């Protein structure tokens, strides 16, 4: 591994370590907000038991709001099926996704030629002050958290370090963009 790459890895790990220390006190604090409602609903109406897997109807069957979140709903319903009422399991998974988002911010900034220090600051700023902090703090904000993951992944793939975007990166960027919209 080259010295520059090693420095970038150390910078990314340093930023995510600081973010971890900042959020550590809130992990396992308990369900909040509408977490109870969503967990109960998804326990009783898992998308895989619905016609077309929930892809042909509004979010949670609420027609007045018009949300359409099939991908995020499938992810959260799968978590509900796996974790039941174990808040720590949800927190750890959602927090890991947030850290992955921080690393993707770092990677996007690096591919945009911001430099190691600028990329570290971007990842740290995003990690400590995300655009929607409730995405990290409340389970019910799962769609924002996972939508951000897919969006940043699409952006990172799109900014592939080549003169011409490879076919694999282009397909991955399109698939991640579609998942972010879902």
């Amino acid at each position: 591994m080259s010295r520059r790459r090693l420095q970038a890895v150390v910078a990314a790990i340093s930023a995510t370590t600081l973010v971890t220390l900042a959020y550590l006190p809130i992990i396992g604090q308990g369900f909040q907000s509408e977490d109870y409602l969503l967990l109960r609903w998804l326990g009783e109406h898992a998308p895989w038991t619905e016609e077309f897997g929930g892809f042909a109807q509004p979010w949670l069957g609420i027609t007045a709001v018009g949300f359409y979140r099939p991908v995020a709903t499938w992810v959260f319903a799968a978590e509900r099926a796996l974790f039941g009422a174990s808040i720590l399991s949800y927190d750890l998974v959602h927090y890991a996704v947030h850290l992955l988002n921080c690393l993707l911010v770092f990677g996007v900034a690096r591919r945009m030629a911001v430099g190691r220090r600028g990329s570290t600051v971007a990842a740290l700023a995003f990690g400590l002050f995300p655009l929607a902090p409730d995405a990290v703090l409340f389970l019910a904000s799962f769609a924002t958290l996972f939508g951000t993951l897919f969006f940043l992944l699409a952006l990172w793939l799109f900014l592939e370090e080549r003169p011409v975007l490879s076919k694999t990166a282009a397909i991955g960027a399109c698939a991640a963009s579609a998942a972010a919209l879902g």
Side-chain angles (χ1 to χ4, degrees), residues 33-42 60 62:
S33 186
E34 58 270 358
D35 293 347
Y36 299 102
L37 170 70
L38 288 172
L39 291 172
R40 180 172 179 187
W41 173 267
L42 290 171
L60 303 180
I62 305 171

Side-chain angles (χ1 to χ4, degrees), residues 113-126:
V114 173
R116 182 176 33 89
R117 286 191 183 110
S119 300
T120 304
V121 169
L124 191 56
F126 175 85

Side-chain angles (χ1 to χ4, degrees), residues 8-113:
V9 168
V10 168
I13 290 172
S14 298
T16 54
T17 299
L18 288 172
V19 171
T20 299
L21 293 173
Y23 279 97
L24 200 55
I26 65 165
I27 292 178
Q29 291 289 319
F31 296 111
Q32 301 179 35
S33 186
E34 58 270 358
D35 293 347
Y36 299 102
L37 170 70
L38 288 172
L39 291 172
R40 180 172 179 187
W41 173 267
L42 290 171
E44 295 171 356
H45 303 91
W48 48 82
T49 64
E50 304 289 326
E51 186 176 5
F52 301 109
F55 280 86
Q57 50 192 300
W59 185 60
L60 303 180
I62 305 171
T63 56
V65 178
F67 282 148
Y68 182 71
R69 297 178 172 170
V71 174
T73 302
W74 267 79
V75 169
F76 198 51
E79 287 181 310
R80 166 63 172 83
L82 289 171
F83 307 142
S86 171
I87 185 66
L88 186 59
S89 299
Y90 292 97
D91 279 354
L92 291 175
V93 168
H94 288 204
Y95 191 69
V97 171
H98 181 59
L99 288 178
L100 182 55
N101 287 342
C102 293
L103 290 174
L104 284 167
V105 166
F106 181 87
V108 165
R110 289 285 290 172
R111 287 188 173 180
M112 294 177 73

